[in-house]
Amino acid sequence: MEQAISIALSRQMTLRRAMDIVANNVANANTSAFKAESPIFSEFLMPGAKADDRTGLNNAGALSFVLDSGTKRDLSEGDIEVTGNTFDVAISGEGFFAVQTPDGERYTRSGHFGVDQNNQLVTQQGDPVLSAAGAPITINPDDGVIEIGRDGTIAAGETTIGRLGVVNVDNPAAMKKTGDNYLETDQAAVAIENPTVMQGFIESSNVKPVVEMTRMIEVMRAYTSTQKTINKMGELQQSAIRQLGREPR
């Protein structure tokens, strides 16, 4: 019975992890270019552990637990929304913007940019957006109206300022989150030769709130059902102890 309770507890632990992921998705439903995540669970067979065989038919089997194996990120593109802001840019198709942070180079799909006091193109966190050459992009407000071409080229009138660095890696799903909608990777980032960049647009989150709320309800029900099972097994265990503890007549 203790083994059964342990298995149920392993299920509850993974359900709590699933709830955390769903809650994070819901919280970022309005975060630009946020990618929804889902948990990955797998079966774990306890080495050497066997369930009791009380039938005499030698049907004892290995104990199977639930294991939280990781997280899967949905890399599908979110809706492209019009903002009309000069420094809002969205990537249509594959690719990430390269950003220089105090902790090293990071990557993001969120193109909600601005210009700081040093006239550098920066993210909402104040980190410089890198050009295709890997350098910060400086924009002089006196140069005139800023236009960003479909290939990421930034120009002011007849003057070309630079080109946004749009890169990709072999396995985007393996990139790790670092916070602030940034990703990091040990993979070599390769510049995309012909990216599609849209000025005055922003990529929205690909989270589907209705789907996530449905998942939240499913997780809550599964957690409650498992808790009821644990409580029932606990009651049976206490009943058995009371029966065994009675003095023989």
Side-chain angles (χ1 to χ4, degrees):
M1 189 174 295
E2 290 180 357
Q3 294 169 344
I5 293 176
S6 297
I7 293 172
L9 286 173
S10 75
R11 173 61 173 157
Q12 277 197 322
M13 290 175 64
T14 54
L15 287 171
R16 290 190 64 178
R17 170 63 175 157
M19 181 61 78
D20 289 341
I21 293 174
V22 171
N24 187 60
N25 288 341
V26 173
N28 287 281
N30 294 319
T31 300
S32 63
F34 179 84
K35 302 304 179 186
E37 297 179 327
S38 57
I40 299 175
F41 299 142
S42 60
E43 181 184 29
F44 176 74
L45 299 178
M46 179 65 74
K50 296 286 185 178
D52 292 338
D53 177 22
R54 301 184 184 279
T55 66
L57 300 177
N58 195 26
N59 290 324
L63 292 181
S64 176
F65 292 83
V66 185
L67 180 65
D68 180 6
S69 301
T71 304
K72 179 182 178 182
R73 186 179 300 116
D74 178 6
L75 297 177
S76 63
E77 187 174 305
D79 294 335
I80 304 298
E81 300 179 347
V82 180
T83 66
N85 296 329
T86 300
F87 298 111
D88 279 351
V89 286
I91 299 173
S92 179
E94 298 181 345
F96 300 88
F97 295 111
V99 179
Q100 185 63 52
T101 74
D103 298 318
E105 194 165 308
R106 297 290 184 265
Y107 308 96
T108 184
R109 292 274 302 187
S110 177
H112 189 44
F113 301 144
V115 177
D116 66 4
Q117 66 273 15
N118 297 319
N119 295 331
Q120 285 189 343
L121 188 66
V122 296
T123 64
Q124 288 182 294
Q125 291 72 37
D127 299 315
V129 179
L130 299 180
S131 68
I137 300 171
T138 300
I139 296 176
N140 190 334
D142 297 329
D143 288 342
V145 178
I146 301 298
E147 295 184 353
I148 302 177
R150 300 281 287 185
D151 64 346
T153 299
I154 304 173
E158 299 297 326
T159 303
T160 299
I161 297 173
R163 188 159 71 91
L164 287 169
V166 181
V167 302
N168 205 359
V169 296
D170 289 337
N171 185 12
M175 300 175 80
K176 299 178 181 179
K177 293 169 57 176
T178 61
D180 295 326
N181 217 1
Y182 289 161
L183 299 169
E184 69 172 347
T185 181
D186 293 331
Q187 304 174 71
V190 180
I192 297 178
E193 293 184 4
N194 297 303
T196 301
V197 177
M198 304 169 65
Q199 183 183 21
F201 293 81
I202 205 78
E203 180 185 355
S204 64
S205 169
N206 69 356
V207 172
K208 298 177 176 59
V210 174
V211 173
E212 296 301 326
M213 293 304 295
T214 301
R215 289 177 179 170
M216 183 175 290
I217 293 172
E218 291 174 349
V219 172
M220 290 177 64
R221 287 176 175 173
Y223 189 92
T224 302
S225 176
T226 305
Q227 185 61 52
K228 288 180 179 178
T229 301
I230 293 174
N231 292 341
K232 187 63 177 179
M233 288 187 290
E235 292 172 1
L236 291 174
Q237 192 175 49
Q238 292 176 6
S239 177
I241 292 173
R242 284 195 297 267
Q243 292 292 333
L244 294 172
R246 290 181 178 177
E247 296 183 1
R249 295 181 180 178

